[in-house]
Amino acid sequence: MTDSLIDYAPGTDTPETDPVNATPTRTPPKGVHHYTLDGVTHEIPENFWDPETKSVRLASLLKSHGDLRSRIGERRKPPEAYEIRLPEDLQSAISADPDDPLAQSAMDWARRHELSQEAFDELAEAFFRNEVQSLDPDCYRETQLNALNDALGSDAEKVRKDVGQWFGALMGRDFADNPDLLAAAEELATDARGVLLLKTLRDRLGEHGVPDRRSETGADSPIDEATIRQTQASEAYRNSNHSDHAATHRWVRNAWQTLVENDR
C-alpha cells in the first residue's frame, strides 16, 4: 500500500510521436479544433469553427474579440475622491462624516480595490443601515433576542432568566457597592454574545467549581465570605428545583473549602 495519490508505474498506452521530431501529439479537448496559421497551431473553440469548410469563422471571432475589448473599456475606474451618499430613507436617521477616520479607511480600501462610486455607495449603505439599526433600541433588542433564539432554541428564555439570577446572586453585593459595575454588566447583557459568555462562565463554574488560582508569588487568592453567604441566600442555592441548584451547591462547597485552606 502506498500513500501516493498518483501511480508512478508507466502506463501501457503512450502518445504517438513523430519519428523525426519525437514530439508527442495531443488530442485536442472535446469541442476544440486545431488551426495552423503561419506555422503556428491554435486551438479554436467549437463556436468559432466551421465544420463544413474545416476553417475558422473569422467574422464571429472578430466580433467576440471586439465585444471583449468594449467590455474592458467600459470598466469604471475609481473616482479621485469618494462621496458618502446616503439613501433618502437614511438621511434623517443618521449623519455621515467623510472626514471620520473609519470613513477614510473605507475609502482607501475601496480605492485600492478599484471600486466605482456606485459600488462604494452599496458598501456605505450596508454599513449605515446596520448603524441605524443599532441606534434603535427596540430593533436592536429584537435582533439580539433572535440571535439568542437561534443559538439556544426553545431554552433561550429560561437561560436568560437563570443566568440573570445566577449572576445577580454572585455579584449583588458588588453591584450595590459600585453602580458602575452594574452598568457594565447591564451593557454586557444587552448583546446576545454577552449573555452566551455569562452562560458559558456559569456552566464552567458548575462543572469545575471555583478554580484555585494563585498569584505569581504563589499566595492563594482570598475568597470573600460575604459573597459565599450571599450565594447561599440565593434562590438557586435554596430551591432544589432550580436549574442551577446543583452547580451553586458545588460552587459554595468549593468556595468554603478554599476559604478555610487560605485561613490556615
Side-chain angles (χ1 to χ4, degrees):
M1 180 67 68
T2 175
D3 291 332
S4 176
L5 298 179
I6 58 175
D7 187 359
Y8 289 96
T12 56
D13 296 328
T14 57
E16 298 179 0
T17 58
D18 185 323
V20 177
N21 299 320
T23 302
T25 60
R26 181 170 63 89
T27 302
K30 185 178 181 180
V32 174
H33 303 270
H34 282 166
Y35 181 77
T36 303
L37 179 66
D38 297 333
V40 178
T41 300
H42 304 272
E43 291 187 347
I44 307 300
E46 184 74 28
N47 54 321
F48 298 128
W49 184 255
D50 189 332
E52 295 183 0
T53 62
K54 305 295 183 182
S55 61
V56 178
R57 290 174 174 165
L58 187 59
S60 298
L61 183 61
L62 291 177
K63 182 178 184 304
S64 176
H65 179 69
D67 292 343
L68 178 60
R69 288 178 60 88
S70 297
R71 287 197 295 270
I72 294 176
E74 291 174 356
R75 181 179 178 183
R76 298 181 179 179
K77 296 181 179 180
E80 294 184 2
Y82 289 100
E83 299 178 48
I84 300 181
R85 305 186 299 200
L86 295 178
E88 291 185 4
D89 63 313
L90 294 182
Q91 292 176 5
S92 61
I94 195 170
S95 60
D97 181 7
D99 296 325
D100 184 277
L102 182 59
Q104 289 295 318
S105 297
M107 293 177 184
D108 291 340
W109 179 87
R111 193 173 294 108
R112 288 197 305 272
H113 292 274
E114 299 184 344
L115 264 65
S116 65
Q117 176 64 54
E118 289 73 16
F120 183 77
D121 289 343
E122 293 183 22
L123 181 68
E125 179 180 353
F127 172 79
F128 284 111
R129 285 199 183 280
N130 185 68
E131 287 292 289
V132 169
Q133 183 185 51
S134 67
L135 294 175
D136 184 339
D138 294 335
C139 183
Y140 182 78
R141 178 178 173 80
E142 182 179 356
T143 300
Q144 298 307 310
L145 287 175
N146 288 337
L148 281 178
N149 289 334
D150 291 340
L152 302 173
S154 59
D155 291 335
E157 185 175 354
K158 183 176 184 302
V159 168
R160 288 194 296 119
K161 179 180 179 180
D162 291 348
V163 167
Q165 291 178 344
W166 168 80
F167 199 48
L170 180 66
M171 299 293 295
R173 178 181 175 184
D174 300 278
F175 291 159
D177 293 341
N178 190 342
D180 288 340
L181 287 180
L182 176 59
E186 290 178 339
E187 182 176 354
L188 175 66
T190 61
D191 189 287
R193 294 172 300 177
V195 175
L196 293 174
L197 173 62
L198 292 176
K199 176 184 181 299
T200 303
L201 177 62
R202 182 200 64 173
D203 293 345
R204 292 295 176 269
L205 288 176
E207 293 172 2
H208 306 294
V210 179
D212 184 14
R213 298 185 182 274
R214 297 175 180 271
S215 65
E216 294 180 358
T217 61
D220 290 342
S221 300
I223 296 297
D224 187 353
E225 179 179 348
T227 300
I228 300 175
R229 293 192 181 280
Q230 184 175 10
T231 303
Q232 287 180 300
S234 69
E235 178 71 13
Y237 184 86
R238 293 184 292 104
N239 185 355
S240 60
N241 294 322
H242 195 282
S243 60
D244 290 330
H245 179 71
T248 305
H249 265 256
R250 285 195 296 270
W251 185 92
V252 170
R253 182 177 63 251
N254 291 331
W256 278 121
Q257 181 179 352
T258 303
L259 185 62
V260 170
E261 291 176 352
N262 290 345
D263 288 340
R264 290 177 181 174

